[in-house]
Amino acid sequence: MAVALRFLVSRIHRLSLSTLILTLRFQEERLKRLRHRTKVQFDASRLEHQEALRALWSATYPGEELQSLISDQWKEMGWQGKDPSTDFRGAGFISLENLLFFAKTFSISFQSLLRKQTGKRAIWEYPFAVAGVNITFMILQMLNLDATKPRTFIRGVFLQMLSENEWAFDLLYCVAFMIMDKLWLDKHATYMEFNDILRLTRSQLEKEFLMDDVLLIEDMPSYNLLR
């Protein structure tokens, strides 16, 4: 951790004062937008939220028509019931945005996890979509974006990543999902152990954040799991 901190400090020292001020301002603006995203609750009456749900379905099951926003079809994706809006309460609209980003950006990995195509799977598997919402919530807790003090090193590293890429949170989500599934397989876990696997996922994310040469999400070793 000390080495990683010195690495960040040395990078800051190489920046001119004007560049540093601009970088911090850029970081602050992106953090403000991200914080706003985390405050938006899913609202089934809002047209843009309805469209996001339809977009998720289309990205997940191309060519398969969704009969209704409230439908038993959603259970196929791993929602608890026929109305997925009830599962967003824990993490809000950003958890839907995360799933949609994953589906569109890393479709091969997304489909592989959705369909449980790799490894020896448990008889009682984790529900894909609900697991995704829980991963969003876990990352929000880890980063503690609303806190002012104390400012953790993990949060500081992430803010640096955010200053480099506005989609850092969404990319981190995709990495976390891949780590979670890998740990699930490595530990031969079942659904009753999901929370334990989620805690291990957080620990792995934090471990990679502390690596000396990790300044971007793309620098994380587990980023290479994505396809």
Side-chain angles (χ1 to χ4, degrees):
M1 176 174 173
V3 175
L5 181 58
R6 288 197 298 272
F7 188 80
L8 281 175
V9 171
S10 67
R11 179 172 182 177
I12 290 173
H13 285 167
R14 290 196 296 270
L15 298 175
S16 67
L17 180 59
S18 59
T19 302
L20 179 58
I21 292 173
L22 185 62
T23 299
L24 292 175
R25 185 178 300 165
F26 204 47
Q27 183 184 101
E28 184 178 340
E29 290 173 354
R30 287 185 168 179
L31 177 59
K32 183 178 179 180
R33 288 195 291 271
L34 178 56
R35 280 174 171 165
H36 174 73
R37 288 177 64 196
T38 67
K39 302 301 182 188
V40 178
Q41 293 300 310
F42 183 86
D43 184 348
S45 68
R46 292 179 61 175
L47 182 60
E48 60 267 36
H49 290 197
Q50 296 173 18
E51 290 304 315
L53 261 184
R54 291 191 179 94
L56 176 62
W57 179 269
S58 297
T60 305
Y61 302 109
E64 183 177 339
E65 183 181 356
L66 177 65
Q67 301 301 321
S68 171
L69 288 180
I70 298 178
S71 168
D72 283 329
Q73 289 174 282
W74 288 109
K75 296 178 184 178
E76 183 181 349
M77 196 186 297
W79 300 103
Q80 294 185 79
K82 61 183 181 180
D83 182 3
S85 67
T86 60
D87 290 325
F88 292 125
R89 292 169 185 162
F93 183 62
I94 193 173
S95 58
L96 172 54
E97 292 180 312
N98 289 158
L99 277 168
L100 185 55
F101 179 90
F102 192 9
K104 289 184 173 182
T105 309
F106 302 103
S107 60
I108 294 175
S109 293
F110 181 89
Q111 291 292 335
S112 177
L113 297 190
L114 170 72
R115 302 177 190 281
K116 308 293 194 298
Q117 291 175 335
T118 59
K120 184 178 180 181
R121 314 305 306 200
I123 295 175
W124 195 8
E125 276 286 324
Y126 64 84
F128 175 77
V130 173
V133 174
N134 278 275
I135 289 171
T136 297
F137 185 72
M138 177 271 290
I139 296 173
L140 289 172
Q141 286 186 314
M142 181 182 79
L143 298 178
N144 197 15
L145 297 174
D146 286 328
T148 53
K149 293 181 180 180
R151 178 170 172 170
T152 66
F153 185 75
I154 296 297
R155 184 171 179 268
V157 171
F158 175 75
L159 292 181
Q160 171 62 31
M161 294 170 167
L162 186 64
S163 69
E164 299 288 345
N165 188 336
E166 186 155 14
W167 299 105
F169 187 92
D170 303 82
L171 287 170
L172 181 60
Y173 170 88
C174 298
V175 173
F177 217 137
M178 297 303 295
I179 291 174
M180 188 278 292
D181 190 73
K182 184 177 185 302
L183 288 169
W184 180 272
L185 292 173
D186 290 347
K187 302 293 184 182
H188 306 289
T190 65
Y191 186 66
M192 295 299 292
E193 299 166 290
F194 179 78
N195 287 335
D196 295 332
I197 297 299
L198 207 56
R199 282 191 287 271
L200 290 174
T201 301
R202 173 171 173 168
S203 295
Q204 181 62 30
L205 290 175
E206 292 174 338
K207 177 182 177 181
E208 295 190 21
F209 266 36
L210 298 179
M211 292 179 176
D212 297 341
D213 54 351
V214 172
L215 288 178
L216 306 172
I217 298 295
E218 293 89 337
D219 295 332
M220 298 174 67
S222 293
Y223 182 84
N224 295 319
L225 295 171
L226 288 163
R227 296 290 183 270

